[in-house]
Amino acid sequence: MSTPDTTAPDTTAPDAPARTTTPGARTAVPAGPLALPRILLGAFLLAALVDLGSLLAGADTGHLIAKPLLLPLLAAHAAVRGAPRLLVAALLLGWGGDVLLMLDPDWAFLAGMGSFAVGHVCYLVLFGRRRTSPALGVLYALLLAGTVAALWSGLPADLRIPVAGYSLLLTATAYRSSSLGAVAGTGGALFLLSDTLIATGIAGLPQLPAPDFWVMLTYIAAQYLLATGGLKAMYGKRRTTS
């Protein structure tokens, strides 16, 4: 045992504060970095409410303002939580598709579909070779075949092949997203549902009341769940809680 120090205490201010942290205790983290993801998520949810409310109210201006804000806010939220670049890229490519689909020319529809298609490729690469249920794959294959068959005759001739190719990518994303868990898998399924609702409108099939509302509701939920499920799978629950 060492001898106690009997020297009189120095009353002058020390050059640096003494370390008083208890071994094993968590070091305090500045509030700013933790608040930013919550602010971005809150802004995303607010934009989503404005967009959906505008669609129900028939307020086109609100929809035109809110819709282009959705995916950049969600991508920023994911990025500050340390999301993989492929996830952020997929969300931003979705934003590009959103903006292009708001334009009137026919080329904008194909360009928007192309932007979403590249986003789906990013998702598929992100999912990697994780295992998925073969039975679920059979179910999605049957859904793909049935959907394309139902849409085919009603689609404009110049859109049939692009829509079929995009549908294949979209269905692959929906199927493979389940490899990241139930949250991402639900997001992939909702993405498939959202785009199927759009395609039924183009093909002239019967629509739900307020069809744009249901398209956006399922789409917003899909992208959020894919982002949340992707973060949870890549980094664990710690990075997905607000």
Side-chain angles (χ1 to χ4, degrees):
M1 179 180 292
S2 61
T3 304
D5 185 1
T6 57
T7 306
D10 184 2
T11 58
T12 60
D15 292 335
R19 179 173 178 173
T20 58
T21 305
T22 303
R26 296 178 63 182
T27 304
V29 179
L34 293 179
L36 182 57
R38 297 177 183 177
I39 292 171
L40 291 169
L41 180 59
F44 165 75
L45 295 175
L46 177 60
L49 289 175
V50 171
D51 185 58
L52 295 173
S54 297
L55 289 171
L56 285 177
D60 292 341
T61 301
H63 174 62
L64 292 173
I65 293 173
K67 183 180 179 181
L69 298 176
L70 291 167
L71 271 294
L73 288 169
L74 184 58
H77 168 73
V80 298
R81 304 205 79 130
R85 292 180 181 178
L86 283 170
L87 177 56
V88 176
L91 294 171
L92 291 177
L93 285 161
W95 169 66
D98 286 344
V99 173
L100 287 166
L101 292 182
M102 295 173 73
L103 305 178
D104 291 330
D106 292 340
W107 64 263
F109 178 81
L110 290 174
M113 190 163 55
S115 185
F116 277 117
V118 178
H120 288 305
V121 172
C122 290
Y123 275 130
L124 290 171
V125 176
L126 177 67
F127 301 150
R129 297 183 178 181
R130 293 174 178 82
R131 296 187 64 179
T132 47
S133 166
L136 185 62
V138 172
L139 175 60
Y140 271 122
L142 293 174
L143 286 173
L144 172 63
T147 300
V148 172
L151 295 173
W152 192 262
S153 61
L155 291 172
D158 59 337
L159 290 181
R160 289 174 179 171
I161 298 302
V163 167
Y166 175 76
S167 298
L168 178 60
L169 266 179
L170 176 60
T171 305
T173 298
Y175 169 54
R176 294 290 300 135
S177 65
S178 64
S179 67
L180 298 187
V183 172
T186 302
L190 287 175
F191 210 142
L192 178 60
L193 174 59
S194 180
D195 280 7
T196 301
L197 291 174
I198 295 175
T200 58
I202 296 172
L205 296 178
Q207 298 291 290
L208 294 170
D212 290 342
F213 169 80
W214 296 108
V215 167
M216 286 306 300
L217 177 63
T218 51
Y219 172 68
I220 291 168
Q223 293 282 31
Y224 172 74
L225 291 173
L226 282 168
T228 302
L231 282 169
K232 184 176 180 179
M234 296 299 166
Y235 297 115
K237 187 175 181 180
R238 178 178 59 86
R239 293 202 180 189
T240 62
T241 52
S242 304

